[in-house]
Amino acid sequence: MHWRYLRLGEGPPVLWLTGGLRRAALGYDFLERLGANHRVLAPDYPPVTHFAEFDDGVSAILRAEGIERCDLAGQSYGGLLAQAFLAAHPEQIRRLVLSSSGPADYGRPWAPFLSLAAAAARVLPKRLSAGLLLAGLSGLLPTTSDPDGQWSELFATLFSMN
């Protein structure tokens, strides 16, 4: 099986697993920015049919690059793959970052407004955008799921403007 991948930047290694469109170059602008401070490896996915084939390919890329431990990030479908790779190789992964990896829920009435929200986030002041996002995320948590406030504290730290 032939594997292609992007290699960008220098610094702590990050293995980036892209979404279901299977082509890392679709996120090149983001990967280039990530590569400003990290060594980014982002594979394209060949047509494999079993996780073992995916695992073999990604592991071969890491070996070829001389990477024993890395951060692992997965976006959308790549988040599913990242979780499986972490489960198979916990000793190789320093931390896991997931983006848009939850189940799709297209039945919600707010779904069509996501593009509008993304556009607004680009033009609103950063502090206001972060505050609105924090309020929205905090509102998704049922009060019983955060009795000690740890999730709320985590969200506040993630979106801190300091």
Side-chain angles (χ1 to χ4, degrees), residues 10-63:
E10 295 299 327
V14 174
L15 174 61
W16 176 265
L17 300 179
T18 192
L21 295 176
R22 304 181 344 219
R23 298 294 175 256
L26 294 173
Y28 189 80
D29 184 54
F30 169 76
L31 296 174
E32 188 174 45
R33 292 177 193 200
L34 186 60
N37 297 305
H38 297 85
R39 179 178 174 188
V40 179
L41 302 175
D44 288 346
Y45 307 145
V48 298
T49 58
H50 295 88
F51 176 75
E53 294 171 290
F54 174 85
D55 186 3
D56 290 344
V58 170
S59 294
I61 290 169
L62 293 175
R63 280 191 308 277

Side-chain angles (χ1 to χ4, degrees), residues 69-125:
R69 285 181 53 83
C70 65
D71 294 338
L72 176 59
Q75 189 271 325
S76 190
Y77 174 66
L80 173 74
L81 296 172
Q83 292 173 71
F85 192 80
L86 171 64
H89 304 280
E91 72 288 348
Q92 287 186 269
I93 307 303
R94 281 192 293 263
R95 79 183 104 203
L96 174 67
V97 177
L98 301 175
S99 172
S100 303
S101 292
D105 184 357
Y106 298 109
R108 300 215 180 210
W110 50 262
F113 299 105
L114 290 178
S115 294
L116 178 61
R122 281 189 225 113
V123 296
L124 292 174

